[in-house]
mmCIF file with all atom_site columns, all heavy atoms in Angstrom:
data_model
loop_
_atom_site.group_PDB
_atom_site.id
_atom_site.type_symbol
_atom_site.label_atom_id
_atom_site.label_alt_id
_atom_site.label_comp_id
_atom_site.label_asym_id
_atom_site.label_entity_id
_atom_site.label_seq_id
_atom_site.pdbx_PDB_ins_code
_atom_site.Cartn_x
_atom_site.Cartn_y
_atom_site.Cartn_z
_atom_site.occupancy
_atom_site.B_iso_or_equiv
_atom_site.pdbx_formal_charge
_atom_site.auth_seq_id
_atom_site.auth_comp_id
_atom_site.auth_asym_id
_atom_site.auth_atom_id
_atom_site.pdbx_PDB_model_num
ATOM 1   N N   . GLY A 1 63 ? -29.408 25.974 0.966   1.00 0.00 ? 85  GLY A N   1
ATOM 2   C CA  . GLY A 1 63 ? -30.786 25.993 0.719   1.00 0.00 ? 85  GLY A CA  1
ATOM 3   C C   . GLY A 1 63 ? -31.153 25.823 -0.768  1.00 0.00 ? 85  GLY A C   1
ATOM 4   O O   . GLY A 1 63 ? -32.233 26.453 -1.161  1.00 0.00 ? 85  GLY A O   1
ATOM 5   N N   . LEU A 1 64 ? -30.497 25.146 -1.567  1.00 0.00 ? 86  LEU A N   1
ATOM 6   C CA  . LEU A 1 64 ? -30.781 24.988 -2.936  1.00 0.00 ? 86  LEU A CA  1
ATOM 7   C C   . LEU A 1 64 ? -32.004 24.031 -3.115  1.00 0.00 ? 86  LEU A C   1
ATOM 8   O O   . LEU A 1 64 ? -32.205 23.163 -2.300  1.00 0.00 ? 86  LEU A O   1
ATOM 9   C CB  . LEU A 1 64 ? -29.573 24.378 -3.721  1.00 0.00 ? 86  LEU A CB  1
ATOM 10  C CG  . LEU A 1 64 ? -28.290 25.175 -3.753  1.00 0.00 ? 86  LEU A CG  1
ATOM 11  C CD1 . LEU A 1 64 ? -27.199 24.443 -4.494  1.00 0.00 ? 86  LEU A CD1 1
ATOM 12  C CD2 . LEU A 1 64 ? -28.573 26.561 -4.461  1.00 0.00 ? 86  LEU A CD2 1
ATOM 13  N N   . THR A 1 65 ? -32.686 24.271 -4.127  1.00 0.00 ? 87  THR A N   1
ATOM 14  C CA  . THR A 1 65 ? -33.854 23.452 -4.434  1.00 0.00 ? 87  THR A CA  1
ATOM 15  C C   . THR A 1 65 ? -33.444 22.467 -5.535  1.00 0.00 ? 87  THR A C   1
ATOM 16  O O   . THR A 1 65 ? -32.410 22.629 -6.138  1.00 0.00 ? 87  THR A O   1
ATOM 17  C CB  . THR A 1 65 ? -35.082 24.276 -4.893  1.00 0.00 ? 87  THR A CB  1
ATOM 18  O OG1 . THR A 1 65 ? -34.694 24.972 -6.134  1.00 0.00 ? 87  THR A OG1 1
ATOM 19  C CG2 . THR A 1 65 ? -35.479 25.287 -3.835  1.00 0.00 ? 87  THR A CG2 1
ATOM 20  N N   . SER A 1 66 ? -34.343 21.534 -5.799  1.00 0.00 ? 88  SER A N   1
ATOM 21  C CA  . SER A 1 66 ? -33.962 20.537 -6.780  1.00 0.00 ? 88  SER A CA  1
ATOM 22  C C   . SER A 1 66 ? -33.904 21.099 -8.202  1.00 0.00 ? 88  SER A C   1
ATOM 23  O O   . SER A 1 66 ? -33.221 20.552 -9.061  1.00 0.00 ? 88  SER A O   1
ATOM 24  C CB  . SER A 1 66 ? -35.036 19.366 -6.744  1.00 0.00 ? 88  SER A CB  1
ATOM 25  O OG  . SER A 1 66 ? -36.274 19.950 -7.006  1.00 0.00 ? 88  SER A OG  1
ATOM 26  N N   . GLU A 1 67 ? -34.517 22.236 -8.488  1.00 0.00 ? 89  GLU A N   1
ATOM 27  C CA  . GLU A 1 67 ? -34.460 22.857 -9.755  1.00 0.00 ? 89  GLU A CA  1
ATOM 28  C C   . GLU A 1 67 ? -33.114 23.593 -10.002 1.00 0.00 ? 89  GLU A C   1
ATOM 29  O O   . GLU A 1 67 ? -32.567 23.661 -11.097 1.00 0.00 ? 89  GLU A O   1
ATOM 30  C CB  . GLU A 1 67 ? -35.554 23.891 -9.996  1.00 0.00 ? 89  GLU A CB  1
ATOM 31  C CG  . GLU A 1 67 ? -36.948 23.274 -9.995  1.00 0.00 ? 89  GLU A CG  1
ATOM 32  C CD  . GLU A 1 67 ? -37.539 23.117 -8.590  1.00 0.00 ? 89  GLU A CD  1
ATOM 33  O OE1 . GLU A 1 67 ? -37.201 23.862 -7.720  1.00 0.00 ? 89  GLU A OE1 1
ATOM 34  O OE2 . GLU A 1 67 ? -38.382 22.222 -8.448  1.00 0.00 ? 89  GLU A OE2 1
ATOM 35  N N   . THR A 1 68 ? -32.565 24.136 -8.893  1.00 0.00 ? 90  THR A N   1
ATOM 36  C CA  . THR A 1 68 ? -31.326 24.984 -9.092  1.00 0.00 ? 90  THR A CA  1
ATOM 37  C C   . THR A 1 68 ? -30.101 24.147 -8.767  1.00 0.00 ? 90  THR A C   1
ATOM 38  O O   . THR A 1 68 ? -28.939 24.695 -8.870  1.00 0.00 ? 90  THR A O   1
ATOM 39  C CB  . THR A 1 68 ? -31.410 26.154 -8.040  1.00 0.00 ? 90  THR A CB  1
ATOM 40  O OG1 . THR A 1 68 ? -31.492 25.683 -6.696  1.00 0.00 ? 90  THR A OG1 1
ATOM 41  C CG2 . THR A 1 68 ? -32.504 27.040 -8.410  1.00 0.00 ? 90  THR A CG2 1
ATOM 42  N N   . VAL A 1 69 ? -30.178 22.951 -8.355  1.00 0.00 ? 91  VAL A N   1
ATOM 43  C CA  . VAL A 1 69 ? -29.006 22.158 -7.910  1.00 0.00 ? 91  VAL A CA  1
ATOM 44  C C   . VAL A 1 69 ? -28.213 21.493 -9.070  1.00 0.00 ? 91  VAL A C   1
ATOM 45  O O   . VAL A 1 69 ? -27.036 21.088 -8.871  1.00 0.00 ? 91  VAL A O   1
ATOM 46  C CB  . VAL A 1 69 ? -29.451 21.121 -6.872  1.00 0.00 ? 91  VAL A CB  1
ATOM 47  C CG1 . VAL A 1 69 ? -29.984 19.886 -7.557  1.00 0.00 ? 91  VAL A CG1 1
ATOM 48  C CG2 . VAL A 1 69 ? -28.283 20.782 -5.965  1.00 0.00 ? 91  VAL A CG2 1
ATOM 49  N N   . GLY A 1 70 ? -28.780 21.493 -10.299 1.00 0.00 ? 92  GLY A N   1
ATOM 50  C CA  . GLY A 1 70 ? -28.135 20.764 -11.366 1.00 0.00 ? 92  GLY A CA  1
ATOM 51  C C   . GLY A 1 70 ? -26.700 21.280 -11.741 1.00 0.00 ? 92  GLY A C   1
ATOM 52  O O   . GLY A 1 70 ? -25.817 20.439 -11.766 1.00 0.00 ? 92  GLY A O   1
ATOM 53  N N   . SER A 1 71 ? -26.574 22.508 -11.954 1.00 0.00 ? 93  SER A N   1
ATOM 54  C CA  . SER A 1 71 ? -25.273 23.038 -12.388 1.00 0.00 ? 93  SER A CA  1
ATOM 55  C C   . SER A 1 71 ? -24.310 22.986 -11.185 1.00 0.00 ? 93  SER A C   1
ATOM 56  O O   . SER A 1 71 ? -23.102 22.795 -11.308 1.00 0.00 ? 93  SER A O   1
ATOM 57  C CB  . SER A 1 71 ? -25.327 24.500 -12.867 1.00 0.00 ? 93  SER A CB  1
ATOM 58  O OG  . SER A 1 71 ? -25.906 25.314 -11.886 1.00 0.00 ? 93  SER A OG  1
ATOM 59  N N   . PHE A 1 72 ? -24.849 23.147 -9.933  1.00 0.00 ? 94  PHE A N   1
ATOM 60  C CA  . PHE A 1 72 ? -24.027 23.086 -8.739  1.00 0.00 ? 94  PHE A CA  1
ATOM 61  C C   . PHE A 1 72 ? -23.388 21.698 -8.627  1.00 0.00 ? 94  PHE A C   1
ATOM 62  O O   . PHE A 1 72 ? -22.193 21.579 -8.381  1.00 0.00 ? 94  PHE A O   1
ATOM 63  C CB  . PHE A 1 72 ? -24.857 23.435 -7.494  1.00 0.00 ? 94  PHE A CB  1
ATOM 64  C CG  . PHE A 1 72 ? -24.131 23.252 -6.198  1.00 0.00 ? 94  PHE A CG  1
ATOM 65  C CD1 . PHE A 1 72 ? -23.278 24.261 -5.696  1.00 0.00 ? 94  PHE A CD1 1
ATOM 66  C CD2 . PHE A 1 72 ? -24.283 22.081 -5.477  1.00 0.00 ? 94  PHE A CD2 1
ATOM 67  C CE1 . PHE A 1 72 ? -22.589 24.068 -4.570  1.00 0.00 ? 94  PHE A CE1 1
ATOM 68  C CE2 . PHE A 1 72 ? -23.634 21.949 -4.253  1.00 0.00 ? 94  PHE A CE2 1
ATOM 69  C CZ  . PHE A 1 72 ? -22.754 22.918 -3.781  1.00 0.00 ? 94  PHE A CZ  1
ATOM 70  N N   . PHE A 1 73 ? -24.188 20.677 -8.763  1.00 0.00 ? 95  PHE A N   1
ATOM 71  C CA  . PHE A 1 73 ? -23.699 19.315 -8.626  1.00 0.00 ? 95  PHE A CA  1
ATOM 72  C C   . PHE A 1 73 ? -22.781 18.925 -9.796  1.00 0.00 ? 95  PHE A C   1
ATOM 73  O O   . PHE A 1 73 ? -21.833 18.165 -9.605  1.00 0.00 ? 95  PHE A O   1
ATOM 74  C CB  . PHE A 1 73 ? -24.840 18.273 -8.541  1.00 0.00 ? 95  PHE A CB  1
ATOM 75  C CG  . PHE A 1 73 ? -25.211 17.976 -7.133  1.00 0.00 ? 95  PHE A CG  1
ATOM 76  C CD1 . PHE A 1 73 ? -26.443 18.328 -6.579  1.00 0.00 ? 95  PHE A CD1 1
ATOM 77  C CD2 . PHE A 1 73 ? -24.275 17.351 -6.302  1.00 0.00 ? 95  PHE A CD2 1
ATOM 78  C CE1 . PHE A 1 73 ? -26.756 18.000 -5.340  1.00 0.00 ? 95  PHE A CE1 1
ATOM 79  C CE2 . PHE A 1 73 ? -24.670 17.035 -4.962  1.00 0.00 ? 95  PHE A CE2 1
ATOM 80  C CZ  . PHE A 1 73 ? -25.872 17.388 -4.534  1.00 0.00 ? 95  PHE A CZ  1
ATOM 81  N N   . THR A 1 74 ? -22.970 19.472 -10.985 1.00 0.00 ? 96  THR A N   1
ATOM 82  C CA  . THR A 1 74 ? -22.109 19.177 -12.082 1.00 0.00 ? 96  THR A CA  1
ATOM 83  C C   . THR A 1 74 ? -20.654 19.597 -11.752 1.00 0.00 ? 96  THR A C   1
ATOM 84  O O   . THR A 1 74 ? -19.728 18.855 -12.013 1.00 0.00 ? 96  THR A O   1
ATOM 85  C CB  . THR A 1 74 ? -22.640 19.836 -13.405 1.00 0.00 ? 96  THR A CB  1
ATOM 86  O OG1 . THR A 1 74 ? -23.974 19.391 -13.611 1.00 0.00 ? 96  THR A OG1 1
ATOM 87  C CG2 . THR A 1 74 ? -21.794 19.498 -14.548 1.00 0.00 ? 96  THR A CG2 1
ATOM 88  N N   . VAL A 1 75 ? -20.563 20.857 -11.295 1.00 0.00 ? 97  VAL A N   1
ATOM 89  C CA  . VAL A 1 75 ? -19.227 21.344 -10.977 1.00 0.00 ? 97  VAL A CA  1
ATOM 90  C C   . VAL A 1 75 ? -18.608 20.600 -9.814  1.00 0.00 ? 97  VAL A C   1
ATOM 91  O O   . VAL A 1 75 ? -17.458 20.207 -9.828  1.00 0.00 ? 97  VAL A O   1
ATOM 92  C CB  . VAL A 1 75 ? -19.351 22.854 -10.705 1.00 0.00 ? 97  VAL A CB  1
ATOM 93  C CG1 . VAL A 1 75 ? -17.986 23.374 -10.119 1.00 0.00 ? 97  VAL A CG1 1
ATOM 94  C CG2 . VAL A 1 75 ? -19.751 23.662 -11.962 1.00 0.00 ? 97  VAL A CG2 1
ATOM 95  N N   . PHE A 1 76 ? -19.409 20.431 -8.758  1.00 0.00 ? 98  PHE A N   1
ATOM 96  C CA  . PHE A 1 76 ? -18.873 19.782 -7.552  1.00 0.00 ? 98  PHE A CA  1
ATOM 97  C C   . PHE A 1 76 ? -18.621 18.355 -7.709  1.00 0.00 ? 98  PHE A C   1
ATOM 98  O O   . PHE A 1 76 ? -17.734 17.788 -6.997  1.00 0.00 ? 98  PHE A O   1
ATOM 99  C CB  . PHE A 1 76 ? -19.716 20.100 -6.342  1.00 0.00 ? 98  PHE A CB  1
ATOM 100 C CG  . PHE A 1 76 ? -19.363 21.424 -5.683  1.00 0.00 ? 98  PHE A CG  1
ATOM 101 C CD1 . PHE A 1 76 ? -20.055 22.541 -6.043  1.00 0.00 ? 98  PHE A CD1 1
ATOM 102 C CD2 . PHE A 1 76 ? -18.400 21.468 -4.748  1.00 0.00 ? 98  PHE A CD2 1
ATOM 103 C CE1 . PHE A 1 76 ? -19.692 23.768 -5.461  1.00 0.00 ? 98  PHE A CE1 1
ATOM 104 C CE2 . PHE A 1 76 ? -18.002 22.625 -4.175  1.00 0.00 ? 98  PHE A CE2 1
ATOM 105 C CZ  . PHE A 1 76 ? -18.657 23.783 -4.468  1.00 0.00 ? 98  PHE A CZ  1
ATOM 106 N N   . MET A 1 77 ? -19.271 17.618 -8.619  1.00 0.00 ? 99  MET A N   1
ATOM 107 C CA  . MET A 1 77 ? -18.987 16.237 -8.792  1.00 0.00 ? 99  MET A CA  1
ATOM 108 C C   . MET A 1 77 ? -17.579 15.987 -9.372  1.00 0.00 ? 99  MET A C   1
ATOM 109 O O   . MET A 1 77 ? -16.913 15.061 -9.016  1.00 0.00 ? 99  MET A O   1
ATOM 110 C CB  . MET A 1 77 ? -20.079 15.586 -9.662  1.00 0.00 ? 99  MET A CB  1
ATOM 111 C CG  . MET A 1 77 ? -21.372 15.296 -8.980  1.00 0.00 ? 99  MET A CG  1
ATOM 112 S SD  . MET A 1 77 ? -21.203 14.435 -7.465  1.00 0.00 ? 99  MET A SD  1
ATOM 113 C CE  . MET A 1 77 ? -20.842 12.819 -8.048  1.00 0.00 ? 99  MET A CE  1
ATOM 114 N N   . VAL A 1 78 ? -17.193 16.901 -10.241 1.00 0.00 ? 100 VAL A N   1
ATOM 115 C CA  . VAL A 1 78 ? -15.819 16.778 -10.774 1.00 0.00 ? 100 VAL A CA  1
ATOM 116 C C   . VAL A 1 78 ? -14.817 16.944 -9.690  1.00 0.00 ? 100 VAL A C   1
ATOM 117 O O   . VAL A 1 78 ? -13.830 16.218 -9.552  1.00 0.00 ? 100 VAL A O   1
ATOM 118 C CB  . VAL A 1 78 ? -15.604 17.842 -11.930 1.00 0.00 ? 100 VAL A CB  1
ATOM 119 C CG1 . VAL A 1 78 ? -14.141 17.874 -12.354 1.00 0.00 ? 100 VAL A CG1 1
ATOM 120 C CG2 . VAL A 1 78 ? -16.522 17.557 -13.063 1.00 0.00 ? 100 VAL A CG2 1
ATOM 121 N N   . ILE A 1 79 ? -15.039 17.962 -8.796  1.00 0.00 ? 101 ILE A N   1
ATOM 122 C CA  . ILE A 1 79 ? -14.112 18.181 -7.663  1.00 0.00 ? 101 ILE A CA  1
ATOM 123 C C   . ILE A 1 79 ? -14.178 17.020 -6.661  1.00 0.00 ? 101 ILE A C   1
ATOM 124 O O   . ILE A 1 79 ? -13.122 16.544 -6.158  1.00 0.00 ? 101 ILE A O   1
ATOM 125 C CB  . ILE A 1 79 ? -14.529 19.507 -6.996  1.00 0.00 ? 101 ILE A CB  1
ATOM 126 C CG1 . ILE A 1 79 ? -14.286 20.709 -7.951  1.00 0.00 ? 101 ILE A CG1 1
ATOM 127 C CG2 . ILE A 1 79 ? -13.742 19.734 -5.715  1.00 0.00 ? 101 ILE A CG2 1
ATOM 128 C CD1 . ILE A 1 79 ? -14.814 22.028 -7.426  1.00 0.00 ? 101 ILE A CD1 1
ATOM 129 N N   . VAL A 1 80 ? -15.376 16.466 -6.405  1.00 0.00 ? 102 VAL A N   1
ATOM 130 C CA  . VAL A 1 80 ? -15.570 15.389 -5.502  1.00 0.00 ? 102 VAL A CA  1
ATOM 131 C C   . VAL A 1 80 ? -14.834 14.141 -6.037  1.00 0.00 ? 102 VAL A C   1
ATOM 132 O O   . VAL A 1 80 ? -14.123 13.392 -5.271  1.00 0.00 ? 102 VAL A O   1
ATOM 133 C CB  . VAL A 1 80 ? -17.052 15.056 -5.277  1.00 0.00 ? 102 VAL A CB  1
ATOM 134 C CG1 . VAL A 1 80 ? -17.232 13.725 -4.579  1.00 0.00 ? 102 VAL A CG1 1
ATOM 135 C CG2 . VAL A 1 80 ? -17.586 16.174 -4.269  1.00 0.00 ? 102 VAL A CG2 1
#
Side-chain angles (χ1 to χ4, degrees):
L86 296 178
T87 62
S88 58
E89 294 87 27
T90 59
V91 82
S93 61
F94 175 81
F95 266 115
T96 303
V97 171
F98 273 94
M99 285 308 288
V100 172
I101 295 170
V102 163

